[in-house]
């Protein structure tokens, strides 16, 4: 709109000048008037497209060459060249400049001696306009790049926030699900018991599980608040929570299974504490989730097996337990299931470039996990 208004003002100004300085030659006056209108029209066409304005300005070059009146076309040359340099392709800009330079040479040579003032004035006008338009093109390009960077950063930020939400969901599930499942199964399995000693043992187990869950939640809250003082050193694992010794975790989980009358068999080989912290943390959470699933879904008093093997290349976990002969309709297992356990295990393993498989095998439910410790992806 501004360009169109500017073109209209230029045309009115030039027509007013021509009315005040008629030559008396009808043909010349008509050509001058046509030159003024075409020059202003070419400038106005920049509002639609600079290439259209460049093509239209060729008519101005012809009329100015015929009338030997360059005042109108010089303004058009500068404005249109700046627009073409700012928006058109480089090939089109080269052709545009060649046509304008040819006009400048022809207008300076014909019809008399070489007019150096006109040539250099036209040449300098083209040069300055091209530089100005190129500067506009450069800053527009930088602006687009900056906008793209901002969009990319916004996408990256949203992705990081989503990853963080997923990590928090996994940790909350691991912290709450295991302990609450332990509490639920302990109370359900002894709800008809009249043995006072056994009931006291259940209460102690429930209290211990509740304290453990509360401790883990407090650790998570400290991490979310970025607290790190002397009393609570920030010793965290790849799982996001402090776990201590991996062997201690295995021992504690086996004790929980025995309390619920399962018959766990444990095989540990290799130096578990030599594993990287992130690997130990992830392994602890996977074992915790696996034991939770045993408590939820395995038949009562059944045998289960936990294998943990460490070497210089990987840490392997294998957990197996018998499958139920039939799924109890609307029973405890369906009530306790969140559907997030196996998915969380898969996500944790993939973050370390490991491999996880789970499914029925010869009447057993088997979870097989491999976590690389030397930076290679597990095959």
């Amino acid at each position: 709109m501004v360009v169109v208004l500017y073109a209209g003002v230029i045309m009115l100004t030039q027509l007013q000048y021509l009315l005040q300085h008629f030559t008396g030659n009808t043909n010349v006056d008509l050509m001058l008037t046509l030159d003024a209108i075409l020059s202003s029209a070419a400038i106005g066409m920049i509002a639609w497209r600079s290439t259209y304005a460049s093509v239209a300005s060729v008519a101005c070059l012809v009329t100015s060459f015929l009338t030997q009146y360059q005042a109108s076309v010089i303004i058009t040359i500068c404005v249109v060249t700046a627009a073409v340099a700012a928006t058109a392709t480089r090939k089109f800009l080269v052709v545009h400049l060649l046509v304008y330079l040819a006009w400048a040479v022809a207008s300076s040579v014909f019809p008399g001696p070489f007019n150096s003032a006109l040539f250099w004035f036209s040449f300098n006008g083209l040069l300055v306009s091209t530089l100005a338009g190129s500067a506009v093109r450069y800053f527009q390009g930088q602006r687009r790049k900056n906008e793209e960077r901002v969009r990319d950063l916004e996408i990256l930020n949203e992705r990081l926030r989503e990853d963080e939400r997923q990590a928090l969901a996994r940790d909350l599930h691991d912290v709450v699900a295991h302990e609450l499942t332990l509490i639920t199964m302990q109370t359900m399995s002894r709800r008809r018991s009249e043995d006072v000693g056994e009931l006291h043992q259940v209460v102690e187990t429930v209290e211990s599980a509740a304290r453990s869950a509360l401790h883990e939640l407090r650790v998570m809250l400290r991490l979310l608040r970025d607290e790190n003082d002397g009393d609570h050193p920030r010793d965290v694992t790849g799982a996001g929570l402090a776990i201590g010794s991996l062997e201690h975790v295995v021992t504690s989980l086996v004790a929980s299974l025995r309390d619920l009358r399962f018959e766990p068999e444990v095989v540990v080989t290799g130096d578990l504490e030599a594993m990287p912290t992130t690997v130990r943390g992830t392994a602890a959470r996977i074992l915790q989730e696996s034991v939770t699933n045993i408590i939820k879904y395995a038949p009562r008093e059944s045998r289960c097996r936990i294998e943990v093997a460490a070497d210089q290349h990987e840490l392997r976990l294998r957990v197996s337990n018998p499958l139920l002969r039939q799924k109890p309709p609307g029973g405890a297992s369906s009530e306790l299931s969140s559907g997030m356990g196996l998915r969380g295990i898969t996500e944790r393993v993939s973050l370390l470039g490991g491999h996880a498989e789970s499914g029925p095998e010869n009447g057993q439910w088997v979870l097989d996990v491999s976590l690389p410790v030397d930076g290679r992806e597990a095959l």
Side-chain angles (χ1 to χ4, degrees), residues 82 123-133:
F123 179 82
N124 290 331
L126 283 173
L127 179 61
V128 172
S129 300
T130 303
L131 292 175

Side-chain angles (χ1 to χ4, degrees), residues 22-35:
F22 267 129
T23 63
N25 187 326
T26 304
N27 292 333
V28 174
D29 289 336
L30 287 175
M31 288 294 291
L32 290 173
T33 302
L34 180 61
D35 180 64

Side-chain angles (χ1 to χ4, degrees), residues 156-279:
L156 177 61
N157 181 59
E158 184 61 28
R159 187 178 303 158
L160 291 174
R161 293 179 64 183
E162 180 62 25
D163 291 343
E164 184 179 6
R165 285 193 291 268
Q166 293 290 340
L168 289 175
R170 288 194 300 268
D171 286 338
L172 283 172
H173 175 268
D174 290 341
V175 168
V176 175
H178 175 75
E179 304 299 349
L180 291 186
T181 299
L182 187 61
I183 291 171
T184 303
M185 299 307 296
Q186 282 278 5
T187 54
M188 289 177 62
S189 62
R190 268 73 166 198
R191 60 185 174 183
R192 290 187 175 89
S193 175
E194 296 181 358
D195 187 337
V196 177
E198 188 177 43
L199 292 177
H200 277 295
Q201 182 182 359
V202 170
V203 171
E204 291 178 356
T205 302
V206 168
E207 180 184 7
S208 176
R211 288 180 181 276
S212 176
L214 182 60
H215 169 73
E216 299 259 28
L217 287 173
R218 283 174 177 169
V219 171
M220 180 180 293
L221 289 175
R222 285 201 302 272
L223 294 176
L224 291 175
R225 294 171 181 169
D226 198 25
E227 294 179 1
N228 185 17
D229 51 37
D231 296 331
H232 303 95
R234 192 168 185 174
D235 178 19
V236 298
T237 69
L241 298 173
I243 63 160
S245 168
L246 182 55
E247 292 186 3
H248 174 74
V249 171
V250 174
T251 302
S252 176
L253 293 174
V254 169
S256 298
L257 289 172
R258 288 198 176 111
D259 286 342
L260 290 171
R261 300 175 181 175
F262 288 95
E263 298 181 16
E265 180 182 354
V266 182
V267 178
V268 178
T269 58
D271 187 1
L272 301 186
E273 304 314 310
M275 297 293 101
T277 304
T278 53
V279 173

